[in-house]
Amino acid sequence: MRSVSLGIAAVSAVCFGFSGPMAKYLNAAGLAPLESVWVRMAGAGLLLLAALALLRPAALRIPRSQWLFFGVYALVAVAGVQALYFLAIQRLPVGVTLLIEYTSPVLVVLWVRFVRRIRLPKAACIGAVIAVAGLAVVVEVWDGLRLDALGLVLALLAAACCAGYFLMSDNLHVDPLGLVAWGMIGAAVVLLPFARPWSIEWAVFGDVVTVAGNTLPVAGAAGWLILVATVVAYIAGVTAVRRLSAAVGATVASLEVITGALIAYFLLGEALGAYQIIGGAVVLLGALLAQTATVRRAPQEAPAAREPVLNPSA
């Protein structure tokens, strides 16, 4: 059964890895990043709502006491993460953006230690330092930052929103699939004035688009982004969370960085440089060490620093 659970977690990571590449195909077809985010959130949210209404209606019940939490979750953990990620990949390679976003466990460690003033294992702090050092290698800080500055800022803000997702999940007292479904619908509502879906050229979904010599139907890219990279990815991720420990699940979830980079290489022709590969390995090592050490804290500190396995980044 454990091997099946690990397989489900790996499927989730692979599915999430398609997010950035499919979004870039939509952007190449003429959709703005926020329009692509809105299509993803609205499409996936409606699919999940319909599926849960038929199969698990109880998952959609929101206690009145949780309404404010759901609103903040939709704004920060869904709309913020997705919009900033989609904007960042317009200026940075998908793999690099994912690596930067995977520093979110480090931000969680810093928040728990210095804001909540909870003592954490030394390994968590060491992991945070390692991840920051790896990030410095990824961006080649010694050479005046070889990456686009605005793209870097957007990716770091996405990491901060992702950390917010982890921290807000401490208060999770509802069905996680219901939280994801309503979070996506809420994000689509929040993004309405920015994405302006009524201005989208919907006719482009009948076209095909070519990126790096690879041609895909625009509707196919959108469908894959909604169904596989979002709905299947989240359902598999939630299932894995329930069957695995957070530490093990987090380790498997890091495959998203690798699969995202590989998919971007084959579909978009994006290749990471030597420093990005070396620094990326260091970032993942540090982030996983920080996250695993935080998860394995003393039992009495459990509610304060709990981290879920799902990474909503992509």
Side-chain angles (χ1 to χ4, degrees):
M1 292 297 292
R2 184 177 176 81
S3 60
V4 174
S5 301
L6 289 171
I8 294 173
V11 167
S12 175
V14 172
C15 289
F16 273 125
F18 279 97
S19 301
M22 293 300 103
K24 285 203 170 186
Y25 272 89
L26 294 185
N27 298 150
L31 271 71
L34 291 181
E35 292 175 339
S36 299
V37 174
W38 190 88
V39 168
R40 181 189 193 188
M41 294 296 94
L46 289 173
L47 279 177
L48 276 173
L49 279 180
L52 291 175
L54 289 174
L55 303 175
R56 281 172 55 184
L60 297 176
R61 295 171 187 162
I62 309 174
R64 186 180 295 271
S65 61
Q66 293 287 308
W67 284 5
L68 178 59
F69 170 78
F70 268 69
V72 176
Y73 177 89
L75 177 63
V76 176
V78 184
V81 173
Q82 298 296 334
L84 290 165
Y85 173 74
F86 274 40
L87 288 168
I89 62 174
Q90 301 310 302
R91 296 175 171 272
L92 300 174
V94 170
V96 171
T97 306
L98 285 172
L99 284 171
I100 295 171
E101 198 165 337
Y102 253 81
T103 60
S104 55
V106 174
L107 300 179
V108 172
V109 167
L110 294 176
W111 180 274
V112 170
R113 180 64 185 90
F114 295 106
V115 177
R116 292 182 175 177
R117 299 184 182 281
I118 295 173
R119 296 182 65 85
L120 294 172
K122 289 183 179 179
C125 299
I126 293 173
V129 172
I130 290 174
V132 171
L135 181 60
V137 176
V138 170
V139 301
E140 299 182 47
V141 68
W142 60 86
D143 201 15
L145 297 179
R146 296 292 298 274
L147 299 177
D148 181 271
L150 179 56
L152 178 59
V153 170
L154 291 169
L156 288 171
L157 288 174
C161 288
C162 190
Y165 160 81
F166 288 141
L167 292 165
M168 281 188 290
S169 292
D170 291 345
N171 300 313
L172 182 59
H173 302 297
V174 296
D175 188 290
L177 283 179
L179 177 63
V180 170
W182 285 120
M184 289 179 181
I185 293 297
V189 173
V190 167
L191 291 170
L192 270 175
F194 307 100
R196 299 173 59 87
W198 52 85
S199 299
I200 294 176
E201 294 291 337
W202 294 98
V204 302
F205 288 92
D207 299 336
V208 296
V209 63
T210 301
V211 178
N214 296 308
T215 301
L216 289 178
V218 178
W224 195 270
L225 177 64
I226 293 169
L227 183 59
V228 176
T230 309
V231 175
V232 174
Y234 271 101
I235 291 176
V238 168
T239 302
V241 168
R242 293 176 171 178
R243 299 167 67 112
L244 295 168
S245 69
V248 174
T251 303
V252 180
S254 67
L255 287 173
E256 179 188 348
V257 177
I258 300 171
T259 58
L262 288 174
I263 293 168
Y265 173 75
F266 286 108
L267 291 183
L268 307 173
E270 293 182 353
L272 299 180
Y275 287 120
Q276 279 71 53
I277 294 173
I278 295 171
V282 176
V283 167
L284 288 179
L285 174 64
L288 289 173
L289 179 61
Q291 187 169 5
T292 303
T294 304
V295 169
R296 291 174 177 170
R297 66 208 172 282
Q300 64 268 24
E301 295 175 342
R306 179 167 57 252
E307 294 172 303
V309 176
L310 273 179
N311 181 0
S313 69

